[in-house]
Amino acid sequence: MGQMIYDFTKASLIKASNNKELFVKELVKASKALTKHEKDKITNWLFFFTADKPDMQKWVYELLDKDILVG
């Protein structure tokens, strides 16, 4: 079941990637549903996904600074 939540989270983040508010909202929801291991995986995936998207990288770093993605 964990893999399903992880995959759903990735799909939700991809869909929300053009809207900061929705993107942040999806990450906050994910941080409540994912295990520590899954949070680490999604964080690594986010760095890969945002490698060519500097604006989104800023959003990810803001959330990391606020400890939203840390278990």
Side-chain angles (χ1 to χ4, degrees), residues 11-67:
S12 298
L13 291 171
I14 290 169
K15 288 179 186 176
S17 64
N18 61 345
N19 181 324
K20 180 181 179 180
E21 292 173 7
L22 188 56
F23 185 79
V24 171
K25 182 180 175 182
E26 291 297 326
L27 276 174
V28 170
K29 283 192 328 189
S31 71
K32 295 175 183 176
L34 298 174
T35 65
K36 171 69 172 133
H37 175 70
E38 292 167 335
K39 286 180 191 179
D40 291 341
K41 281 177 55 176
I42 206 78
T43 301
N44 289 334
W45 175 81
L46 280 168
F47 287 126
F48 172 77
F49 180 68
T50 61
D52 61 344
K53 301 169 182 78
D55 290 339
M56 286 184 66
Q57 279 183 341
K58 291 177 190 174
W59 304 346
V60 172
Y61 283 113
E62 287 174 15
L63 294 171
L64 288 171
D65 286 344
K66 295 177 183 176
D67 291 336

